[in-house]
Amino acid sequence: LTAGLAGADLANIINEAALLAGRNNRKTVTHKDLLEAVERAIAGLEKKSRRINPKEKKIVAYHESGHALIAEVTKGAKKVSKVSIIPRGLAALGYTLNTPEENKFLMQRHELIAEVDVLLGGRAAEEVFIGEISTGAGNDLERATDIIKSMAGMYGMSEVAGLMVLEKKNNTFLNGGTTKEYSEKMSEDLDNFVKNLLDERYKAVLETLRTYNGAIEEIVSELFKTETIEG
C-alpha cells in the first residue's frame, strides 16, 4: 500500500499509526492502524461530521464507482484497495485508493493511458448515470491533462514532437519547474494532441461504463449501505 512513498513519508505514517494506537490505549500498532495512517497521509482525516446532502452523496458514489471500476478492468491500471464516500481532508467528499501490485520505477505508455482512463472514470460515470456533470472532477482532469502533456513533451510518446523534448526539467532543488522552448505551431499541435487523446480516452471510458452498468449499480448500492468497500 505504501509503494512509491519516500522514506520521510513512511516515517510519518509509522508515527501516525503509533499515535492512533496510543489514543486507543494499545501498546502495539496493528495493521488497521497502519492502513488508517496511510489513508490520512494520502486523503486527510475522516470528516464524518461533514454532512453532505443525498443528491451530492449520490453524485460522489457514482463518481468514485467510476474510478474503481475502470481501474479494475483496465490493463496496466493500479488495482483498487478501497472505495469510500466518507469525506476526508479539506475537500475530498469521497476517494478511491489505488495501489500498484509491486514497486515500480518505470511506466510504459499503456500504463500512463490506463492512469488517464481511471482519472476520467469519475466524470464519465456522472455523465452516464447522473445525466449531468459536476465540479467534482476538476483535479482529475488536471492530472489527466498533465500526463498526456508529459507523454508528448517529455517522454517522446507522440507523433507531435517525435523524439524531441519540449519540456526540460529544471533543477528541482532550486525552485524546480520546467522550461518550455518550442514554436507557436508546435504549441498548437500539442494542444490538439492533448485534446484529441483526452476525447478518445473519454469515449472509450464511457463505453466501458455502459457495458458494466450493472456492476456500477451494485457498487453504488453497497456504498450507500456501508460507505466503504475494501478492494
Side-chain angles (χ1 to χ4, degrees), residues 19-51:
L19 290 172
L20 287 168
R23 288 188 199 116
N24 288 287
N25 298 316
R26 281 185 278 103
K27 293 182 179 180
T28 57
V29 175
T30 66
H31 184 63
K32 185 178 179 182
D33 295 324
L34 288 166
L35 289 177
E36 174 61 22
V38 169
E39 287 187 59
R40 288 188 177 196
I42 294 171
L45 294 172
E46 277 193 357
K47 303 285 186 180
K48 288 188 176 181
S49 60
R50 186 189 300 160
R51 305 315 306 167

PDB file of all heavy atoms in Angstrom, residues 19-51:
ATOM      1  N   LEU A  19       0.568   6.909  17.058  1.00  0.00           N
ATOM      2  CA  LEU A  19      -0.331   7.828  17.760  1.00  0.00           C
ATOM      3  C   LEU A  19      -1.750   7.263  17.828  1.00  0.00           C
ATOM      4  O   LEU A  19      -2.428   7.375  18.860  1.00  0.00           O
ATOM      5  CB  LEU A  19      -0.342   9.187  17.060  1.00  0.00           C
ATOM      6  CG  LEU A  19       0.951  10.015  17.174  1.00  0.00           C
ATOM      7  CD1 LEU A  19       0.870  11.236  16.266  1.00  0.00           C
ATOM      8  CD2 LEU A  19       1.182  10.446  18.618  1.00  0.00           C
ATOM      9  N   LEU A  20      -2.202   6.667  16.718  1.00  0.00           N
ATOM     10  CA  LEU A  20      -3.542   6.068  16.689  1.00  0.00           C
ATOM     11  C   LEU A  20      -3.653   4.950  17.724  1.00  0.00           C
ATOM     12  O   LEU A  20      -4.661   4.835  18.426  1.00  0.00           O
ATOM     13  CB  LEU A  20      -3.846   5.530  15.289  1.00  0.00           C
ATOM     14  CG  LEU A  20      -4.134   6.582  14.207  1.00  0.00           C
ATOM     15  CD1 LEU A  20      -4.120   5.940  12.823  1.00  0.00           C
ATOM     16  CD2 LEU A  20      -5.485   7.249  14.454  1.00  0.00           C
ATOM     17  N   ALA A  21      -2.613   4.118  17.804  1.00  0.00           N
ATOM     18  CA  ALA A  21      -2.620   3.026  18.785  1.00  0.00           C
ATOM     19  C   ALA A  21      -2.652   3.586  20.199  1.00  0.00           C
ATOM     20  O   ALA A  21      -3.396   3.106  21.064  1.00  0.00           O
ATOM     21  CB  ALA A  21      -1.391   2.141  18.580  1.00  0.00           C
ATOM     22  N   GLY A  22      -1.853   4.639  20.451  1.00  0.00           N
ATOM     23  CA  GLY A  22      -1.803   5.253  21.779  1.00  0.00           C
ATOM     24  C   GLY A  22      -3.139   5.836  22.195  1.00  0.00           C
ATOM     25  O   GLY A  22      -3.558   5.692  23.349  1.00  0.00           O
ATOM     26  N   ARG A  23      -3.813   6.488  21.251  1.00  0.00           N
ATOM     27  CA  ARG A  23      -5.125   7.089  21.563  1.00  0.00           C
ATOM     28  C   ARG A  23      -6.149   6.023  21.945  1.00  0.00           C
ATOM     29  O   ARG A  23      -7.128   6.311  22.622  1.00  0.00           O
ATOM     30  CB  ARG A  23      -5.630   7.886  20.363  1.00  0.00           C
ATOM     31  CG  ARG A  23      -4.859   9.177  20.131  1.00  0.00           C
ATOM     32  CD  ARG A  23      -5.493  10.032  19.054  1.00  0.00           C
ATOM     33  NE  ARG A  23      -4.541  11.011  18.540  1.00  0.00           N
ATOM     34  CZ  ARG A  23      -4.094  11.036  17.299  1.00  0.00           C
ATOM     35  NH1 ARG A  23      -4.517  10.144  16.426  1.00  0.00           N
ATOM     36  NH2 ARG A  23      -3.221  11.946  16.910  1.00  0.00           N
ATOM     37  N   ASN A  24      -5.928   4.806  21.450  1.00  0.00           N
ATOM     38  CA  ASN A  24      -6.843   3.706  21.770  1.00  0.00           C
ATOM     39  C   ASN A  24      -6.298   2.817  22.895  1.00  0.00           C
ATOM     40  O   ASN A  24      -6.726   1.669  23.047  1.00  0.00           O
ATOM     41  CB  ASN A  24      -7.098   2.863  20.508  1.00  0.00           C
ATOM     42  CG  ASN A  24      -7.981   3.600  19.513  1.00  0.00           C
ATOM     43  OD1 ASN A  24      -9.185   3.754  19.718  1.00  0.00           O
ATOM     44  ND2 ASN A  24      -7.382   4.072  18.428  1.00  0.00           N
ATOM     45  N   ASN A  25      -5.345   3.366  23.642  1.00  0.00           N
ATOM     46  CA  ASN A  25      -4.779   2.677  24.819  1.00  0.00           C
ATOM     47  C   ASN A  25      -4.204   1.301  24.490  1.00  0.00           C
ATOM     48  O   ASN A  25      -4.360   0.350  25.249  1.00  0.00           O
ATOM     49  CB  ASN A  25      -5.847   2.551  25.927  1.00  0.00           C
ATOM     50  CG  ASN A  25      -6.305   3.906  26.411  1.00  0.00           C
ATOM     51  OD1 ASN A  25      -5.494   4.803  26.639  1.00  0.00           O
ATOM     52  ND2 ASN A  25      -7.614   4.072  26.557  1.00  0.00           N
ATOM     53  N   ARG A  26      -3.552   1.195  23.336  1.00  0.00           N
ATOM     54  CA  ARG A  26      -2.894  -0.050  22.952  1.00  0.00           C
ATOM     55  C   ARG A  26      -1.386   0.143  22.918  1.00  0.00           C
ATOM     56  O   ARG A  26      -0.914   1.203  22.521  1.00  0.00           O
ATOM     57  CB  ARG A  26      -3.395  -0.525  21.579  1.00  0.00           C
ATOM     58  CG  ARG A  26      -4.757  -1.205  21.656  1.00  0.00           C
ATOM     59  CD  ARG A  26      -5.205  -1.781  20.323  1.00  0.00           C
ATOM     60  NE  ARG A  26      -5.818  -0.749  19.468  1.00  0.00           N
ATOM     61  CZ  ARG A  26      -5.224  -0.173  18.450  1.00  0.00           C
ATOM     62  NH1 ARG A  26      -3.974  -0.497  18.136  1.00  0.00           N
ATOM     63  NH2 ARG A  26      -5.838   0.743  17.737  1.00  0.00           N
ATOM     64  N   LYS A  27      -0.651  -0.887  23.323  1.00  0.00           N
ATOM     65  CA  LYS A  27       0.804  -0.795  23.357  1.00  0.00           C
ATOM     66  C   LYS A  27       1.458  -1.260  22.061  1.00  0.00           C
ATOM     67  O   LYS A  27       2.672  -1.129  21.889  1.00  0.00           O
ATOM     68  CB  LYS A  27       1.355  -1.607  24.538  1.00  0.00           C
ATOM     69  CG  LYS A  27       0.963  -1.025  25.900  1.00  0.00           C
ATOM     70  CD  LYS A  27       1.570  -1.825  27.032  1.00  0.00           C
ATOM     71  CE  LYS A  27       1.194  -1.218  28.377  1.00  0.00           C
ATOM     72  NZ  LYS A  27       1.773  -1.992  29.511  1.00  0.00           N
ATOM     73  N   THR A  28       0.671  -1.837  21.182  1.00  0.00           N
ATOM     74  CA  THR A  28       1.210  -2.296  19.900  1.00  0.00           C
ATOM     75  C   THR A  28       0.422  -1.678  18.747  1.00  0.00           C
ATOM     76  O   THR A  28      -0.769  -1.382  18.880  1.00  0.00           O
ATOM     77  CB  THR A  28       1.136  -3.838  19.773  1.00  0.00           C
ATOM     78  OG1 THR A  28      -0.230  -4.251  19.933  1.00  0.00           O
ATOM     79  CG2 THR A  28       2.011  -4.506  20.814  1.00  0.00           C
ATOM     80  N   VAL A  29       1.105  -1.491  17.623  1.00  0.00           N
ATOM     81  CA  VAL A  29       0.486  -0.949  16.409  1.00  0.00           C
ATOM     82  C   VAL A  29      -0.078  -2.099  15.580  1.00  0.00           C
ATOM     83  O   VAL A  29       0.614  -3.086  15.332  1.00  0.00           O
ATOM     84  CB  VAL A  29       1.534  -0.164  15.580  1.00  0.00           C
ATOM     85  CG1 VAL A  29       0.937   0.293  14.252  1.00  0.00           C
ATOM     86  CG2 VAL A  29       2.060   1.021  16.367  1.00  0.00           C
ATOM     87  N   THR A  30      -1.328  -1.969  15.171  1.00  0.00           N
ATOM     88  CA  THR A  30      -1.969  -3.023  14.381  1.00  0.00           C
ATOM     89  C   THR A  30      -1.971  -2.678  12.893  1.00  0.00           C
ATOM     90  O   THR A  30      -1.677  -1.548  12.497  1.00  0.00           O
ATOM     91  CB  THR A  30      -3.427  -3.232  14.840  1.00  0.00           C
ATOM     92  OG1 THR A  30      -4.172  -2.036  14.518  1.00  0.00           O
ATOM     93  CG2 THR A  30      -3.510  -3.499  16.324  1.00  0.00           C
ATOM     94  N   HIS A  31      -2.314  -3.661  12.078  1.00  0.00           N
ATOM     95  CA  HIS A  31      -2.425  -3.467  10.629  1.00  0.00           C
ATOM     96  C   HIS A  31      -3.464  -2.382  10.329  1.00  0.00           C
ATOM     97  O   HIS A  31      -3.265  -1.549   9.430  1.00  0.00           O
ATOM     98  CB  HIS A  31      -2.835  -4.789   9.976  1.00  0.00           C
ATOM     99  CG  HIS A  31      -2.899  -4.748   8.487  1.00  0.00           C
ATOM    100  ND1 HIS A  31      -1.787  -4.507   7.701  1.00  0.00           N
ATOM    101  CD2 HIS A  31      -3.929  -4.908   7.624  1.00  0.00           C
ATOM    102  CE1 HIS A  31      -2.132  -4.525   6.427  1.00  0.00           C
ATOM    103  NE2 HIS A  31      -3.424  -4.772   6.351  1.00  0.00           N
ATOM    104  N   LYS A  32      -4.550  -2.381  11.107  1.00  0.00           N
ATOM    105  CA  LYS A  32      -5.617  -1.387  10.923  1.00  0.00           C
ATOM    106  C   LYS A  32      -5.083   0.029  11.163  1.00  0.00           C
ATOM    107  O   LYS A  32      -5.439   0.969  10.444  1.00  0.00           O
ATOM    108  CB  LYS A  32      -6.779  -1.688  11.874  1.00  0.00           C
ATOM    109  CG  LYS A  32      -7.984  -0.783  11.675  1.00  0.00           C
ATOM    110  CD  LYS A  32      -9.119  -1.176  12.615  1.00  0.00           C
ATOM    111  CE  LYS A  32     -10.315  -0.249  12.424  1.00  0.00           C
ATOM    112  NZ  LYS A  32     -11.411  -0.585  13.374  1.00  0.00           N
ATOM    113  N   ASP A  33      -4.229   0.185  12.175  1.00  0.00           N
ATOM    114  CA  ASP A  33      -3.625   1.497  12.456  1.00  0.00           C
ATOM    115  C   ASP A  33      -2.793   1.975  11.272  1.00  0.00           C
ATOM    116  O   ASP A  33      -2.849   3.148  10.894  1.00  0.00           O
ATOM    117  CB  ASP A  33      -2.725   1.430  13.695  1.00  0.00           C
ATOM    118  CG  ASP A  33      -3.492   1.139  14.973  1.00  0.00           C
ATOM    119  OD1 ASP A  33      -4.630   1.619  15.102  1.00  0.00           O
ATOM    120  OD2 ASP A  33      -2.938   0.443  15.843  1.00  0.00           O
ATOM    121  N   LEU A  34      -2.019   1.065  10.702  1.00  0.00           N
ATOM    122  CA  LEU A  34      -1.154   1.414   9.574  1.00  0.00           C
ATOM    123  C   LEU A  34      -1.978   1.815   8.352  1.00  0.00           C
ATOM    124  O   LEU A  34      -1.657   2.779   7.660  1.00  0.00           O
ATOM    125  CB  LEU A  34      -0.234   0.240   9.226  1.00  0.00           C
ATOM    126  CG  LEU A  34       0.893  -0.012  10.235  1.00  0.00           C
ATOM    127  CD1 LEU A  34       1.534  -1.369   9.998  1.00  0.00           C
ATOM    128  CD2 LEU A  34       1.942   1.091  10.159  1.00  0.00           C
ATOM    129  N   LEU A  35      -3.058   1.086   8.086  1.00  0.00           N
ATOM    130  CA  LEU A  35      -3.918   1.418   6.945  1.00  0.00           C
ATOM    131  C   LEU A  35      -4.560   2.786   7.118  1.00  0.00           C
ATOM    132  O   LEU A  35      -4.612   3.581   6.174  1.00  0.00           O
ATOM    133  CB  LEU A  35      -5.000   0.343   6.768  1.00  0.00           C
ATOM    134  CG  LEU A  35      -4.535  -1.021   6.252  1.00  0.00           C
ATOM    135  CD1 LEU A  35      -5.699  -1.993   6.213  1.00  0.00           C
ATOM    136  CD2 LEU A  35      -3.920  -0.897   4.869  1.00  0.00           C
ATOM    137  N   GLU A  36      -5.044   3.063   8.322  1.00  0.00           N
ATOM    138  CA  GLU A  36      -5.652   4.374   8.591  1.00  0.00           C
ATOM    139  C   GLU A  36      -4.608   5.479   8.457  1.00  0.00           C
ATOM    140  O   GLU A  36      -4.900   6.565   7.927  1.00  0.00           O
ATOM    141  CB  GLU A  36      -6.274   4.388   9.983  1.00  0.00           C
ATOM    142  CG  GLU A  36      -6.804   5.746  10.431  1.00  0.00           C
ATOM    143  CD  GLU A  36      -7.905   6.330   9.559  1.00  0.00           C
ATOM    144  OE1 GLU A  36      -8.592   5.551   8.838  1.00  0.00           O
ATOM    145  OE2 GLU A  36      -8.072   7.560   9.565  1.00  0.00           O
ATOM    146  N   ALA A  37      -3.381   5.221   8.896  1.00  0.00           N
ATOM    147  CA  ALA A  37      -2.307   6.213   8.791  1.00  0.00           C
ATOM    148  C   ALA A  37      -1.981   6.515   7.332  1.00  0.00           C
ATOM    149  O   ALA A  37      -1.752   7.666   6.966  1.00  0.00           O
ATOM    150  CB  ALA A  37      -1.065   5.708   9.514  1.00  0.00           C
ATOM    151  N   VAL A  38      -1.976   5.474   6.493  1.00  0.00           N
ATOM    152  CA  VAL A  38      -1.722   5.668   5.062  1.00  0.00           C
ATOM    153  C   VAL A  38      -2.827   6.519   4.446  1.00  0.00           C
ATOM    154  O   VAL A  38      -2.562   7.458   3.685  1.00  0.00           O
ATOM    155  CB  VAL A  38      -1.628   4.305   4.327  1.00  0.00           C
ATOM    156  CG1 VAL A  38      -1.646   4.513   2.813  1.00  0.00           C
ATOM    157  CG2 VAL A  38      -0.359   3.583   4.729  1.00  0.00           C
ATOM    158  N   GLU A  39      -4.070   6.217   4.788  1.00  0.00           N
ATOM    159  CA  GLU A  39      -5.195   6.978   4.236  1.00  0.00           C
ATOM    160  C   GLU A  39      -5.151   8.435   4.695  1.00  0.00           C
ATOM    161  O   GLU A  39      -5.457   9.346   3.930  1.00  0.00           O
ATOM    162  CB  GLU A  39      -6.521   6.329   4.635  1.00  0.00           C
ATOM    163  CG  GLU A  39      -6.787   5.041   3.868  1.00  0.00           C
ATOM    164  CD  GLU A  39      -8.163   4.493   4.146  1.00  0.00           C
ATOM    165  OE1 GLU A  39      -9.148   5.212   3.895  1.00  0.00           O
ATOM    166  OE2 GLU A  39      -8.262   3.350   4.625  1.00  0.00           O
ATOM    167  N   ARG A  40      -4.754   8.656   5.926  1.00  0.00           N
ATOM    168  CA  ARG A  40      -4.635  10.036   6.419  1.00  0.00           C
ATOM    169  C   ARG A  40      -3.553  10.789   5.643  1.00  0.00           C
ATOM    170  O   ARG A  40      -3.710  11.972   5.340  1.00  0.00           O
ATOM    171  CB  ARG A  40      -4.311  10.045   7.917  1.00  0.00           C
ATOM    172  CG  ARG A  40      -5.495   9.635   8.774  1.00  0.00           C
ATOM    173  CD  ARG A  40      -5.217   9.829  10.259  1.00  0.00           C
ATOM    174  NE  ARG A  40      -6.398   9.503  11.040  1.00  0.00           N
ATOM    175  CZ  ARG A  40      -6.570   9.851  12.313  1.00  0.00           C
ATOM    176  NH1 ARG A  40      -5.631  10.536  12.947  1.00  0.00           N
ATOM    177  NH2 ARG A  40      -7.671   9.518  12.953  1.00  0.00           N
ATOM    178  N   ALA A  41      -2.460  10.081   5.338  1.00  0.00           N
ATOM    179  CA  ALA A  41      -1.361  10.707   4.595  1.00  0.00           C
ATOM    180  C   ALA A  41      -1.790  11.048   3.174  1.00  0.00           C
ATOM    181  O   ALA A  41      -1.419  12.079   2.623  1.00  0.00           O
ATOM    182  CB  ALA A  41      -0.151   9.774   4.573  1.00  0.00           C
ATOM    183  N   ILE A  42      -2.596  10.186   2.570  1.00  0.00           N
ATOM    184  CA  ILE A  42      -2.994  10.367   1.174  1.00  0.00           C
ATOM    185  C   ILE A  42      -4.208  11.275   1.037  1.00  0.00           C
ATOM    186  O   ILE A  42      -4.233  12.193   0.211  1.00  0.00           O
ATOM    187  CB  ILE A  42      -3.284   8.996   0.512  1.00  0.00           C
ATOM    188  CG1 ILE A  42      -1.986   8.180   0.427  1.00  0.00           C
ATOM    189  CG2 ILE A  42      -3.897   9.165  -0.879  1.00  0.00           C
ATOM    190  CD1 ILE A  42      -2.189   6.751  -0.004  1.00  0.00           C
ATOM    191  N   ALA A  43      -5.230  11.031   1.849  1.00  0.00           N
ATOM    192  CA  ALA A  43      -6.512  11.721   1.650  1.00  0.00           C
ATOM    193  C   ALA A  43      -6.909  12.670   2.773  1.00  0.00           C
ATOM    194  O   ALA A  43      -7.860  13.421   2.630  1.00  0.00           O
ATOM    195  CB  ALA A  43      -7.628  10.680   1.447  1.00  0.00           C
ATOM    196  N   GLY A  44      -6.197  12.632   3.903  1.00  0.00           N
ATOM    197  CA  GLY A  44      -6.550  13.508   5.011  1.00  0.00           C
ATOM    198  C   GLY A  44      -7.399  12.800   6.064  1.00  0.00           C
ATOM    199  O   GLY A  44      -7.736  11.623   5.938  1.00  0.00           O
ATOM    200  N   LEU A  45      -7.752  13.535   7.102  1.00  0.00           N
ATOM    201  CA  LEU A  45      -8.553  12.986   8.201  1.00  0.00           C
ATOM    202  C   LEU A  45      -9.990  12.741   7.765  1.00  0.00           C
ATOM    203  O   LEU A  45     -10.537  13.489   6.958  1.00  0.00           O
ATOM    204  CB  LEU A  45      -8.561  13.950   9.387  1.00  0.00           C
ATOM    205  CG  LEU A  45      -7.229  14.195  10.114  1.00  0.00           C
ATOM    206  CD1 LEU A  45      -7.403  15.326  11.122  1.00  0.00           C
ATOM    207  CD2 LEU A  45      -6.764  12.940  10.807  1.00  0.00           C
ATOM    208  N   GLU A  46     -10.603  11.695   8.319  1.00  0.00           N
ATOM    209  CA  GLU A  46     -12.028  11.468   8.077  1.00  0.00           C
ATOM    210  C   GLU A  46     -12.830  12.620   8.656  1.00  0.00           C
ATOM    211  O   GLU A  46     -12.526  13.120   9.742  1.00  0.00           O
ATOM    212  CB  GLU A  46     -12.494  10.155   8.729  1.00  0.00           C
ATOM    213  CG  GLU A  46     -12.223   8.935   7.890  1.00  0.00           C
ATOM    214  CD  GLU A  46     -12.966   7.705   8.415  1.00  0.00           C
ATOM    215  OE1 GLU A  46     -13.642   7.817   9.464  1.00  0.00           O
ATOM    216  OE2 GLU A  46     -12.875   6.655   7.767  1.00  0.00           O
ATOM    217  N   LYS A  47     -13.845  13.049   7.920  1.00  0.00           N
ATOM    218  CA  LYS A  47     -14.706  14.144   8.366  1.00  0.00           C
ATOM    219  C   LYS A  47     -16.162  13.661   8.390  1.00  0.00           C
ATOM    220  O   LYS A  47     -17.004  14.123   7.629  1.00  0.00           O
ATOM    221  CB  LYS A  47     -14.580  15.343   7.418  1.00  0.00           C
ATOM    222  CG  LYS A  47     -13.163  15.882   7.261  1.00  0.00           C
ATOM    223  CD  LYS A  47     -12.724  16.668   8.486  1.00  0.00           C
ATOM    224  CE  LYS A  47     -11.378  17.330   8.259  1.00  0.00           C
ATOM    225  NZ  LYS A  47     -10.910  18.099   9.407  1.00  0.00           N
ATOM    226  N   LYS A  48     -16.436  12.697   9.275  1.00  0.00           N
ATOM    227  CA  LYS A  48     -17.789  12.139   9.331  1.00  0.00           C
ATOM    228  C   LYS A  48     -18.815  13.180   9.771  1.00  0.00           C
ATOM    229  O   LYS A  48     -20.005  13.030   9.527  1.00  0.00           O
ATOM    230  CB  LYS A  48     -17.817  10.937  10.276  1.00  0.00           C
ATOM    231  CG  LYS A  48     -17.112   9.709   9.693  1.00  0.00           C
ATOM    232  CD  LYS A  48     -17.323   8.477  10.553  1.00  0.00           C
ATOM    233  CE  LYS A  48     -16.702   7.253   9.897  1.00  0.00           C
ATOM    234  NZ  LYS A  48     -16.894   6.019  10.673  1.00  0.00           N
ATOM    235  N   SER A  49     -18.332  14.230  10.417  1.00  0.00           N
ATOM    236  CA  SER A  49     -19.240  15.286  10.860  1.00  0.00           C
ATOM    237  C   SER A  49     -19.679  16.171   9.696  1.00  0.00           C
ATOM    238  O   SER A  49     -20.642  16.919   9.808  1.00  0.00           O
ATOM    239  CB  SER A  49     -18.565  16.145  11.936  1.00  0.00           C
ATOM    240  OG  SER A  49     -17.385  16.741  11.412  1.00  0.00           O
ATOM    241  N   ARG A  50     -18.942  16.110   8.579  1.00  0.00           N
ATOM    242  CA  ARG A  50     -19.308  16.923   7.414  1.00  0.00           C
ATOM    243  C   ARG A  50     -20.478  16.248   6.702  1.00  0.00           C
ATOM    244  O   ARG A  50     -20.331  15.226   6.048  1.00  0.00           O
ATOM    245  CB  ARG A  50     -18.126  17.065   6.461  1.00  0.00           C
ATOM    246  CG  ARG A  50     -18.408  18.027   5.292  1.00  0.00           C
ATOM    247  CD  ARG A  50     -17.308  17.983   4.249  1.00  0.00           C
ATOM    248  NE  ARG A  50     -16.029  18.365   4.818  1.00  0.00           N
ATOM    249  CZ  ARG A  50     -14.865  18.047   4.265  1.00  0.00           C
ATOM    250  NH1 ARG A  50     -14.815  17.329   3.175  1.00  0.00           N
ATOM    251  NH2 ARG A  50     -13.738  18.436   4.829  1.00  0.00           N
ATOM    252  N   ARG A  51     -21.630  16.820   6.832  1.00  0.00           N
ATOM    253  CA  ARG A  51     -22.826  16.204   6.258  1.00  0.00           C
ATOM    254  C   ARG A  51     -23.014  16.698   4.828  1.00  0.00           C
ATOM    255  O   ARG A  51     -23.082  17.894   4.570  1.00  0.00           O
ATOM    256  CB  ARG A  51     -24.081  16.555   7.075  1.00  0.00           C
ATOM    257  CG  ARG A  51     -24.025  16.231   8.542  1.00  0.00           C
ATOM    258  CD  ARG A  51     -23.461  14.859   8.851  1.00  0.00           C
ATOM    259  NE  ARG A  51     -24.145  13.788   8.156  1.00  0.00           N
ATOM    260  CZ  ARG A  51     -23.685  12.541   8.075  1.00  0.00           C
ATOM    261  NH1 ARG A  51     -22.518  12.241   8.607  1.00  0.00           N
ATOM    262  NH2 ARG A  51     -24.357  11.632   7.440  1.00  0.00           N
TER     263      ARG A  51
END
